[in-house]
Amino acid sequence: MVDRSGKPCSANVSLVSGEGGSLGVGTTGVDGNEFVFSNDLFGHARMMGPLTLQATTEDDRVAVLGGIDAMRPEDIEALVLTVEPGAKLELSLDGVYETLRCRLLHDGVIFEDFTLRKTQPAREGGPAGPRLIQLYSGGGSDMFVRDERALSLRAGDAISVAFVVER
């Protein structure tokens, strides 16, 4: 993990599956390199399909690398990600559903996938630029998008988005 000047930095790392779901998989050391993926993540039912590697720092910088077709930890451990200033979203849910799955996309790449709860707004960081938020039920071929919003975020933005889903 490095910043824009090439200086190593510490970051929290997660893997996001193109089929839905994400797993936080650890934190790099301050040199940006001391990170080992657990072998049991790869080939796991939740981590099938193209993967996205996401890294976030404590000061809200982020890196997203999508389209990774890897089934072994060593396929990913050699990658270098560059973190850049990001943007924040606060997402809330109201309407007929107590929970819906929520996925966040940047330039068509899914970088976050989680459960959004009616009683608990979610605060999510991510890259600046075009962002698509999709609320869905089901999964895989049974996925049904209940609502979605397209946004364009600048570095440093902090935006609240309220969803009211009645169908």
Side-chain angles (χ1 to χ4, degrees), residues 4 14 21 23 34-35 43 48 52 55 61 74-75 79-80 88-89 94 101 103 131 133 143 152 165 167:
R4 288 194 282 194
S14 61
L23 292 172
E34 299 169 8
F35 188 83
M48 300 302 286
T52 298
R61 292 174 295 159
E74 51 272 15
D75 294 337
L79 296 174
V80 175
K88 294 181 190 179
L89 287 175
D94 203 353
R101 294 294 296 171
R103 67 184 190 177
R131 184 109 42 112
I133 307 164
M143 185 177 103
S152 183
V165 182
R167 58 178 170 96

Side-chain angles (χ1 to χ4, degrees), residues 89 91 102-108 111 127-135 145 147-154 157 159-163:
L89 287 175
L91 306 170
C102 181
R103 67 184 190 177
L104 306 177
L105 295 89
H106 172 70
D107 283 338
F111 70 90
R131 184 109 42 112
L132 179 65
I133 307 164
Q134 292 182 324
L135 297 185
V145 175
D147 200 353
E148 67 181 12
R149 306 267 173 87
L151 306 169
S152 183
L153 303 172
R154 294 180 307 241
D157 278 352
I159 296 175
S160 294
V161 181
F163 288 91

Side-chain angles (χ1 to χ4, degrees), residues 1-85:
M1 216 60 54
V2 297
D3 63 18
R4 288 194 282 194
S5 68
K7 180 181 172 188
C9 59
S10 178
N12 294 315
V13 180
S14 61
L15 281 172
V16 181
S17 169
E19 308 251 331
S22 62
L23 292 172
V25 292
T27 303
T28 65
V30 291
D31 70 354
N33 294 319
E34 299 169 8
F35 188 83
V36 178
F37 283 97
S38 170
N39 281 315
D40 62 354
L41 293 175
F42 295 84
H44 186 282
R46 288 183 58 201
M47 293 284 101
M48 300 302 286
L51 301 175
T52 298
L53 186 61
Q54 177 190 14
T56 56
T57 65
E58 287 188 19
D59 62 354
D60 298 321
R61 292 174 295 159
V62 64
V64 172
L65 178 62
I68 300 168
D69 188 19
M71 294 308 296
R72 301 171 309 148
E74 51 272 15
D75 294 337
I76 292 179
E77 288 173 343
L79 296 174
V80 175
L81 280 89
T82 303
V83 293
E84 298 194 10

